[in-house]
Amino acid sequence: NGHGKEALKLFRQMQVKGVVPDKFTFISILDQCAVLSALAEGKENHATVMSNGFESDIIVGTALVSMYGK
């Protein structure tokens, strides 16, 4: 939708303010990392996915596979 960079910026601001993301937030952010080819940021978000306990969620896992595949 053309707002990927803005979405990543807002996600970083959420993290700074201590907002705990849910799985839907991670799915969206990982998708934007894939669209923007932002692998370094995607890897950071992958670590955040794991630290928040979403690594076993199938839909989040699919978003991760998609991100790394692009």
Side-chain angles (χ1 to χ4, degrees), residues 5 9 14 20-21 26 31 54 61 63:
K5 289 181 182 179
K9 180 180 174 183
M14 287 173 55
V20 178
F26 282 121
D31 182 57
F54 289 105

Side-chain angles (χ1 to χ4, degrees), residues 54-67:
F54 289 105
E55 67 272 7
S56 62
D57 184 279
I58 292 175
I59 299 172
V60 174
T62 301
L64 284 165
V65 169
S66 177
M67 181 197 69

Side-chain angles (χ1 to χ4, degrees), residues 3-53:
H3 300 289
K5 289 181 182 179
E6 184 178 348
L8 293 176
K9 180 180 174 183
L10 289 172
F11 181 66
R12 284 190 295 271
Q13 290 175 357
M14 287 173 55
Q15 289 178 304
V16 168
K17 293 184 181 210
V19 176
V20 178
D22 62 13
K23 75 177 190 175
F24 302 105
T25 303
F26 282 121
I27 292 165
S28 297
I29 290 303
L30 293 168
D31 182 57
Q32 290 309 307
C33 288
V35 168
L36 297 169
S37 298
L39 183 58
E41 190 148 8
K43 287 181 177 182
E44 291 174 16
N45 290 322
H46 186 174
T48 306
V49 163
M50 292 174 39
S51 68
N52 281 278

